Amino acid sequence: MKALTFSTFGDSDVLEYIDIPNPQLKQDEILVEMKAIGLNFADVYRRKGNYHLKGNPPFIAGYEGAGIVVDANNHPEYKTGDRVAFADAPFANAELVAVNVNHIIPLSENISFETAASVLLQGLTAHYLATDSHKTQKGETVLIHAVAGGVGQILTQISKLLGATVIGLTSSAEKAKTGFEQGADHVFLYNEDWKSEVFKVVPNGVDAVYDSIGSTLMDSFEVTKECGQVVFFGMAGGDPAPVDPRMLMDGSKTLTGGDLWSYLNSKEERIKRATQLFDWITEGKINLSEPTSFKLSEGKLAHDFLESRKSTGKIILIP
């Protein structure tokens, strides 16, 4: 089979599209022929050598995608030709992927392979943030960092669906337009005095902040109301400053950490959360930007485009 691989760490020039042996199935795995693969910043970090990576050289990145079952490996709940997807199975940047049956998400006919590969990681992240990390209530006001990013766009729509007012933060007027298109009520730019702008909207502060930047964590607390919550789930802008517990006590504020893998902890959880996400999409309650597609053989171009920060929607790879 063909796969997008790398044997040394570095920039996109280390990527190679080569022939490698087909996966050898373990007892708890089925074989999936990939139709669409999600590209994420984690794959760039893996290529550079600063993110967890499974296997030995030639390394294969990718954890998210969709396709059809070509070998059910005697697992009676699946058969050849079944449409399936996954959000957390390694070695996805290949024509064939061995996927643990507990990580398989059945895919109905009304969700395309491209949609599944576009939405699962970022959509499931947005889902747990709005329903578990902070249980969004009707009438609340939430602040979403990086509102035009993949998670930010879906989190905005879910927050609106649950009845919240959404304030978004982003880095440019073009990305602010994307935030408004996703339903944000207000969008402010990082290079403005955005904290003052937030207080003009909600003088007492917001109910919750979703912070994926990290270096902005103390700013997030400043605009959070008493008894409010900050959900910290990423470090795109660098490590956060240490948090003083006395500050939390004085304002009765809560800091919550968020990581998707804490929630995708069983077959049932994966399917339940993905089904809710897919239902919202088919009902038109969540709308996705059209993904940018590259052939799997064009992996270097796809990585370069992702790193350019010019993309606002999802990038997918097509074998």
Side-chain angles (χ1 to χ4, degrees):
M1 70 172 184
K2 292 283 191 181
L4 182 66
T5 72
F6 54 98
S7 294
T8 57
F9 299 119
D11 62 22
S12 63
D13 290 331
V14 304
L15 292 169
E16 297 178 303
Y17 185 65
I18 61 173
D19 281 302
I20 62 170
N22 291 0
Q24 296 298 306
L25 292 180
K26 298 174 183 174
Q27 186 176 352
D28 58 356
E29 293 176 336
I30 64 176
L31 192 63
V32 177
E33 179 185 313
M34 301 303 292
K35 297 298 183 183
I37 303 159
L39 182 64
N40 297 285
F41 267 105
D43 299 317
V44 172
Y45 304 150
R46 290 183 181 103
R47 189 199 74 217
K48 291 181 176 180
N50 52 16
Y51 203 75
H52 62 83
L53 183 65
K54 291 195 173 187
N56 301 299
F59 297 110
I60 306 172
Y63 269 72
E64 171 188 40
I68 60 171
V69 176
V70 290
D71 186 347
N73 197 22
N74 297 315
H75 288 280
E77 65 266 49
Y78 299 106
K79 64 183 186 300
T80 300
D82 280 352
R83 305 173 81 255
V84 297
F86 56 85
D88 57 340
F91 317 129
N93 287 349
E95 292 178 323
L96 298 170
V97 181
V99 184
N100 185 296
V101 289
N102 291 318
H103 293 231
I104 288 286
I105 297 167
L107 201 59
S108 65
E109 290 289 343
N110 51 10
I111 298 291
S112 70
F113 296 120
E114 293 80 8
T115 294
S118 298
V119 76
L120 276 174
L121 272 176
Q122 294 169 343
L124 290 172
T125 297
H127 181 273
Y128 89 77
L129 289 171
T131 61
D132 293 274
S133 295
H134 177 75
K135 297 185 186 297
T136 306
Q137 304 295 316
K138 186 175 182 180
E140 289 187 332
T141 300
V142 301
L143 176 68
I144 299 175
H145 284 270
V147 72
V151 173
Q153 290 188 38
I154 302 172
L155 181 56
T156 296
Q157 294 187 62
I158 294 176
S159 299
K160 293 297 295 180
L161 189 58
L162 297 175
T165 295
V166 173
I167 302 173
L169 295 175
T170 192
S171 58
S172 70
E174 183 181 359
K175 289 185 175 182
K177 181 182 175 186
T178 299
F180 282 121
E181 288 170 350
Q182 302 306 310
D185 299 279
H186 311 271
V187 182
F188 304 124
L189 303 184
Y190 285 113
N191 61 7
E192 299 174 337
D193 182 7
W194 61 265
K195 287 183 282 187
S196 295
E197 296 297 326
V198 169
F199 283 122
K200 290 177 185 176
V201 178
V202 273
N204 294 326
V206 298
D207 293 278
V209 178
Y210 296 103
D211 193 323
S212 57
I213 307 301
S215 57
T216 53
L217 194 63
M218 298 316 296
D219 296 315
S220 295
F221 274 112
E222 282 187 45
V223 297
T224 303
K225 73 175 189 180
E226 287 195 347
C227 302
Q229 182 180 14
V230 173
V231 182
F232 168 55
F233 71 103
M235 295 181 291
D239 288 328
V243 175
D244 182 355
R246 288 183 57 185
M247 177 273 293
L248 299 177
M249 180 183 72
D250 291 344
S252 300
K253 298 181 183 183
T254 302
L255 172 62
T256 301
D259 185 82
L260 178 61
W261 313 124
S262 302
Y263 295 93
L264 297 188
N265 52 19
S266 71
K267 175 181 179 178
E268 292 74 22
E269 277 297 311
R270 290 181 183 90
I271 292 175
K272 181 184 77 172
R273 291 175 183 275
T275 299
Q276 173 74 89
L277 197 59
F278 292 155
D279 285 348
W280 281 337
I281 292 169
T282 56
E283 292 165 8
K285 294 176 179 176
I286 291 179
N287 297 296
L288 303 177
S289 303
E290 192 72 24
T292 302
S293 298
F294 290 86
K295 294 178 182 177
L296 184 58
S297 59
E298 300 172 330
K300 176 185 170 0
L301 294 176
H303 275 238
D304 288 343
F305 186 58
L306 180 61
E307 288 187 272
S308 75
R309 304 276 182 171
K310 293 177 182 175
S311 61
T312 53
K314 185 77 171 187
I315 298 171
I316 59 174
L317 304 171
I318 308 296

